[in-house]
DNA sequence: GCAAAAGTGTTCAAACTACACCCATGA
DNA sequence: TCATGGGTGTAGTTTGAACACTTTTGC
């Protein structure tokens, strides 16, 4: 009872740059949807795990290495791909800003970051996949500390605040936000400052993953 | 670039009976794991959607029809199935108590309900799948009104309370719980009462899905 | 009239929201 | 010295948690 169903993975990779959430897309080289933009992805090889497939495809197609990856949803409508029955396991990943530079140095004219407010037309059902990923990202940052994965390892509080404000689509009160996050006890305040040209230099913070896992084990939950 | 990867669905179906959360398992007829218990599931046919595949397999293997279904997770570790590379898209479903009777009337000696506190040994990685499903159910009832799908359409408040108390694994305060749920405005109080033999008869309630969707559209969220 | 389950309000503590001024630096 | 962004506390409101007695029915 062998199936002719084929299996692919797709990866929605988010970044954060200049106050905008961005997503990594590739320009397709072949039909169908030749020269159209699409979420990176491809077929799974027989001996690799799903996550390995995602990391491999991303690296092959865009040269990028992600630092957070989770499974999003599996899309399997019979008519979603004109080539036949193709089921795709979609993932979503996050990269730190330094990945942008890394990426820029590779030869990948067919891969590009787009602000999620200015998306091109997408291939297949990739619009639907991307929209689901955005929803997931928006809701997930409120109950898991994944926002840090979009920032540099050391970041000023204002960056975190701006990120949340962007993702949630509303202003967040600086004082209340800081109180809340500091109260969660998962940030280390460093003895470093950074200046953004003008204004008082900001203290740098760093996410303490060890402490987070410790607290999580104790049943203390992250919640914004 | 055709793959030899095969694709199956598996369905974790939960019920609720006598204050216990139960799960539907089947006894395997063939190797591997012959005569061992497993989550119902099977191969997807070329022309059906994933959800259709789940419903078909469930009906074929257990005679049951579920009234709530959602995708859980896709399991794809290369070594999860000794027969070769088989990726499985796991779903989780809920059935109302009347499905128990329906089910009992069919010829399905190889399918059986188990309390999730007294599970037999399971085939493949089905223990892992089931554990994930339980976690998902536990967390999901706190932010989506899916608990009602485990009760009769008309139910006394105490049933709902007992269900939550069972799923969350802790006592819930009757007064506070009722206040909270009534405040959500998604229950209709009926002009019917039900008596459980002794004690004051209870008013029956019914989940009003229309009103829930309406409220959801307006951005009002369900949360326990 | 008594056992058994249903129904109902109030009080206290904790968490959340709103809000404005001073601080440190670069130009 | 001024413009710019960083840093901080308090008061009022809302929400959540704890808690006990009355009501309705069957026996």
């Amino acid at each position: 009872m062998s199936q002719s169903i084929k299996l692919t993975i797709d990866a929605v990779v988010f970044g954060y740059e200049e106050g905008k959430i961005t997503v990594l897309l590739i320009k397709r080289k072949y039909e169908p949807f030749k020269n159209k933009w699409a979420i990176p992805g491809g077929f799974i090889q027989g001996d690799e795990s799903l996550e390995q497939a995602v990391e491999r495809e991303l690296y092959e197609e865009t040269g990028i290495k992600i630092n957070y990856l989770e499974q999003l949803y599996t899309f399997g409508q019979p008519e979603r791909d004109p080539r036949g029955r193709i089921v795709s396991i979609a993932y979503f990943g996050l990269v730190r800003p330094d990945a942008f530079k890394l990426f820029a140095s590779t030869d990948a004219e067919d891969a590009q970051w787009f602000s999620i407010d200015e998306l091109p037309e997408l291939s297949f059902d990739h619009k639907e996949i991307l929209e689901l990923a955005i929803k997931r990202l928006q809701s997930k940052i409120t109950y898991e500390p994944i926002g840090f994965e979009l920032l540099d390892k050391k970041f000023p509080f204002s960056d975190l605040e701006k990120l949340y404000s962007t993702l949630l689509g509303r202003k967040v009160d600086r004082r209340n936000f800081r109180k809340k996050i500091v109260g969660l006890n998962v940030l280390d305040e460093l003895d470093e400052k950074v200046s953004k040209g003008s204004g008082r230099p900001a203290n740098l913070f760093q996410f303490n993953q060890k402490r987070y896992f410790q607290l999580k084990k104790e049943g203390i939950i992250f919640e914004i």
Side-chain angles (χ1 to χ4, degrees), chain A residues 34-76:
Chain A
K34 190 174 171 185
N35 291 325
K36 292 264 181 190
W37 294 97
I39 297 165
F43 290 97
I44 299 160
Q45 290 174 3
D47 57 346
E48 66 189 353
S49 73
L50 304 178
E51 287 75 17
Q52 281 165 351
V54 173
E55 282 166 13
R56 180 184 49 74
E57 289 284 354
L58 275 176
Y59 191 71
E60 286 175 11
E61 293 187 342
T62 71
I64 211 164
K65 292 193 177 177
I66 52 185
N67 59 305
Y68 178 85
L69 184 67
E70 80 171 45
Q71 195 181 297
L72 177 64
Y73 196 78
T74 298
F75 293 82

Side-chain angles (χ1 to χ4, degrees), chain A residues 71-157:
Chain A
Q71 195 181 297
L72 177 64
Y73 196 78
T74 298
F75 293 82
Q77 283 303 108
E79 64 286 348
R80 61 178 293 278
D81 193 311
R83 291 168 294 182
R85 188 69 197 276
I86 299 187
V87 170
S88 179
I89 306 167
Y91 276 76
F92 98 78
L94 305 176
V95 295
R96 294 192 198 283
D98 49 25
F100 287 79
K101 293 156 213 152
L102 201 150
F103 167 70
S105 72
T106 68
D107 173 45
E109 55 171 315
D110 299 328
Q112 209 176 293
W113 291 97
F114 288 85
S115 161
I116 60 168
D117 303 319
E118 296 162 17
L119 291 170
E121 205 183 325
L122 292 176
S123 314
F124 307 103
D125 54 355
H126 287 187
K127 182 162 183 272
E128 189 189 342
I129 297 176
L130 184 46
E131 282 170 359
L132 184 67
I134 292 170
K135 266 192 214 164
R136 178 84 135 254
L137 176 60
Q138 285 174 332
S139 79
K140 193 121 191 179
I141 55 153
T142 68
Y143 64 91
E144 297 251 8
I146 59 169
F148 307 109
E149 309 293 339
L150 286 169
L151 302 177
D152 286 313
K153 285 205 173 157
K154 302 171 177 186
F155 55 87
F157 228 103

Side-chain angles (χ1 to χ4, degrees), chain A residues 28 65 72 92 139 176 185 200 223:
Chain A
R28 288 182 55 81
K65 292 193 177 177
L72 177 64
F92 98 78
S139 79
N176 294 339
N185 240 330
R200 173 176 176 175
E223 200 180 0

Side-chain angles (χ1 to χ4, degrees), chain A residues 211-223:
Chain A
R211 185 147 352 111
Y212 169 65
F213 285 136
Q214 183 57 36
L215 290 171
K216 194 174 175 181
K217 237 194 301 184
E218 295 168 12
I220 289 151
I221 51 166
F222 180 93
E223 200 180 0

